[in-house]
Amino acid sequence: MKIVHLWLKFQVLIIQLGDKKFRPYLSAEEIAWAVSRVSEALNEKYNGKQPIVLGVLNGAFMFCSDLVKTLTCGPEIHFVKVSSYEGTASSGNLSRLIGISAELKDRHVILVEDIVDTGLTVDVLRKELAAMGPASVEVATLLFKPDAFRGSQKPDYTGLEIPNDFVVGYGLDYNNLGRELPELYVIND
Ligand code: IMP
């Protein structure tokens, strides 16, 4: 009886998103801890500086919303999107930042990402932002996959380093599914 009960409980914990199964990875409490690590570091660094927070949609909407609730440095909050487009055959896929509504000149900018994986997207975004003449640009990410990282500069603030496995929930998606989940789930191979 007890074994059946445990088996049933395990089945309930596995979720199906499209053609893939995912198992629980980080609880809402563990995520809240990671968010507070980032906000504490940002509050210390940006005290009195009134930075511009640029949340990268769609993935960072939940992280950014929880993060800014605990920022005491008087941030201005904006959201941007990354548009991927096919470049020339030699340059491959490129990313571009769209939807910037703020004047960034001479301002301290914090780019807020859900996850830094290879780091190639953030590399391109840092360059684009730097060209707009800000006082500084830093990257804050909830999750960082060091084993997948191939970028030129690591995130300046990381909530949690994770292994190179695909995760969903808390804003991150699998084919647009799973963003609404308050916890993080990892692919169940
Ligand atoms: P990059 O490889 O660091 O350029 O990451 C590009 C984008 O891939 C991220 O902003 C995410 O949207 C997405 N991504 C990378 N890893 C994951 C994951 O584990 N789950 C969901 N999305 C991911």
Side-chain angles (χ1 to χ4, degrees):
M1 242 351 227
K2 201 170 178 187
I3 289 169
V4 171
H5 176 72
L6 280 176
W7 183 82
L8 283 173
K9 201 170 161 197
F10 183 69
Q11 289 296 301
V12 171
L13 290 175
I14 300 288
I15 60 166
Q16 178 98 32
L17 297 172
D19 59 344
K20 298 263 186 285
K21 288 185 169 59
F22 294 83
R23 64 178 190 279
Y25 183 55
L26 290 176
S27 68
E29 289 74 24
E30 287 166 316
I31 296 169
W33 175 84
V35 175
S36 71
R37 273 190 74 189
V38 176
S39 73
E40 277 168 26
L42 290 177
N43 282 333
E44 199 177 316
K45 172 83 184 268
Y46 289 95
N47 185 24
K49 290 190 177 155
Q50 296 196 301
I52 292 193
V53 165
L54 289 182
V56 184
L57 295 174
N58 292 331
F61 81 95
M62 218 181 264
F63 172 45
C64 196
S65 131
D66 283 344
L67 180 72
V68 296
K69 286 179 211 163
T70 57
L71 289 186
T72 54
C73 48
E76 252 182 56
I77 300 151
H78 298 264
F79 287 92
V80 291
K81 273 202 117 164
V82 175
S83 130
S84 293
Y85 59 92
E86 289 290 314
T88 62
S90 57
S91 55
N93 282 329
L94 299 175
S95 306
R96 204 165 52 90
L97 206 50
I98 54 171
I100 296 188
S101 54
E103 171 60 75
L104 304 187
K105 182 127 185 58
D106 299 328
R107 299 293 304 270
H108 295 286
V109 176
I110 306 167
L111 193 69
V112 175
E113 272 281 17
D114 52 350
I115 190 162
V116 173
D117 184 355
T118 62
L120 299 179
T121 305
V122 157
D123 265 4
V124 174
L125 303 187
R126 275 192 202 261
K127 272 195 203 123
E128 267 199 66
L129 290 171
M132 296 175 197
S136 65
V137 177
E138 288 197 310
V139 173
T141 184
L142 176 69
L143 303 171
F144 175 43
K145 294 180 181 173
D147 295 340
F149 187 70
R150 294 189 276 128
S152 61
Q153 205 176 338
K154 287 185 179 178
D156 303 282
Y157 308 91
T158 293
L160 214 58
E161 293 193 354
I162 63 169
N164 191 8
D165 297 318
F166 194 83
V167 293
V168 292
Y170 198 69
L172 291 102
D173 72 306
Y174 169 63
N175 287 344
N176 285 314
L177 297 173
R179 288 193 203 278
E180 78 285 9
L181 299 164
E183 310 87 15
L184 276 159
Y185 290 76
V186 64
I187 198 147
N188 197 48
D189 296 319

